[in-house]
Amino acid sequence: FWLKFCPLGSNLPISPGAMRVTAALATAVVGELHACSLLITGFEGPLEKYNGNWRYAGEGRDTEGHLRRMYTFDNQVLLRYNANSTTPGWQITRPSVSGTFHEDLLASCSTTACKDSDDLSTLPPQQPWQAEGSNAVMGLHVGCCPAKANKCSKCNDSDCARLSVAACAASQIVGCCQPFGYADAGRCGCKDQNAVCEPYRPSEVTI
């Protein structure tokens, strides 16, 4: 799992916001439009294993006030915007091998297009991403992943909120409402409305 080329000197202290990323993965905030997960290709060398689907993992405001989305490859390797870096931009990080409260930087993009993107599904193609710890620059292709239809994509939270506890539990089995909303909002809520990526098959990807 660990990439050997990333030097320990590149450890990044994790901010309190980043330390809460696990919770964000479990309770992703959905924006005005259902966010898409990403298909990213173009990783090379030690990072080649990260070609594939990156799941939408929530959103939050950075220190500049921008509402930015974040993504995860496997719930540990994260792709999110870092406004506090010496070169602000989108960064790919993983838990550090040297300490629980640090992260290792794997790659980053600080071009104007990257800085202007709050949602990487709209990032122009072939933006240069710098692989940390080497001189390699990768031209990544980023876009929404080919997705399976989600029968609950048009679920309305207000309709779920009208259900009793028993009806909400029943809907979890056959419908689109689920009782986990009680923990967050004190009422029944919709199941995940975001589309699920089709399995990544490199031979079928055309750029």
Side-chain angles (χ1 to χ4, degrees):
F1 171 79
W2 301 113
L3 300 184
K4 297 180 180 179
F5 79 91
C6 192
L8 296 181
S10 66
N11 290 351
L12 304 173
I14 298 179
S15 66
M19 291 173 65
R20 293 192 293 270
V21 71
T22 302
L25 297 180
T27 57
V29 180
V30 179
E32 294 179 2
L33 297 176
H34 301 317
C36 72
S37 294
L38 304 178
L39 172 61
I40 304 179
T41 58
F43 287 109
E44 301 173 352
L47 297 180
E48 186 176 4
K49 66 180 75 176
Y50 298 122
N51 287 314
N53 295 325
W54 288 70
R55 183 169 59 83
Y56 165 70
E59 56 193 28
R61 295 198 181 277
D62 62 24
T63 55
E64 298 173 342
H66 297 286
L67 186 64
R68 309 265 191 183
R69 289 178 175 168
M70 62 180 175
Y71 310 87
T72 178
F73 185 77
D74 58 4
N75 292 347
Q76 294 192 62
V77 178
L78 303 173
L79 170 56
R80 62 187 186 272
Y81 193 87
N82 185 352
N84 299 320
S85 173
T86 53
T87 54
W90 286 87
Q91 297 183 346
I92 298 172
T93 61
R94 62 152 191 219
S96 175
V97 295
S98 64
T100 305
F101 299 108
H102 287 81
E103 294 177 323
D104 288 337
L105 175 64
L106 302 181
S108 60
C109 181
S110 299
T111 64
T112 299
C114 276
K115 291 179 179 179
D116 288 344
S117 295
D118 299 332
D119 172 1
L120 285 187
S121 66
T122 61
L123 185 68
Q126 292 284 11
Q127 292 300 306
W129 290 69
Q130 176 68 52
E132 184 69 9
S134 76
N135 294 322
V137 176
M138 304 168 293
L140 299 187
H141 298 267
V142 184
C144 290
C145 66
K148 304 175 184 178
N150 184 344
K151 70 173 185 177
C152 296
S153 61
K154 296 183 180 180
C155 178
N156 191 318
D157 264 323
S158 61
D159 292 336
C160 292
R162 298 189 187 98
L163 299 180
S164 65
V165 175
C168 184
S171 178
Q172 183 180 11
I173 300 173
V174 297
C176 289
C177 300
Q178 48 87 10
F180 297 111
Y182 285 102
D184 299 324
R187 56 179 172 75
C188 187
C190 289
K191 292 180 180 178
D192 185 7
Q193 295 167 269
N194 294 311
V196 177
C197 294
E198 294 281 1
Y200 171 59
R201 299 181 177 89
S203 61
E204 296 180 7
V205 174
T206 56
I207 303 300

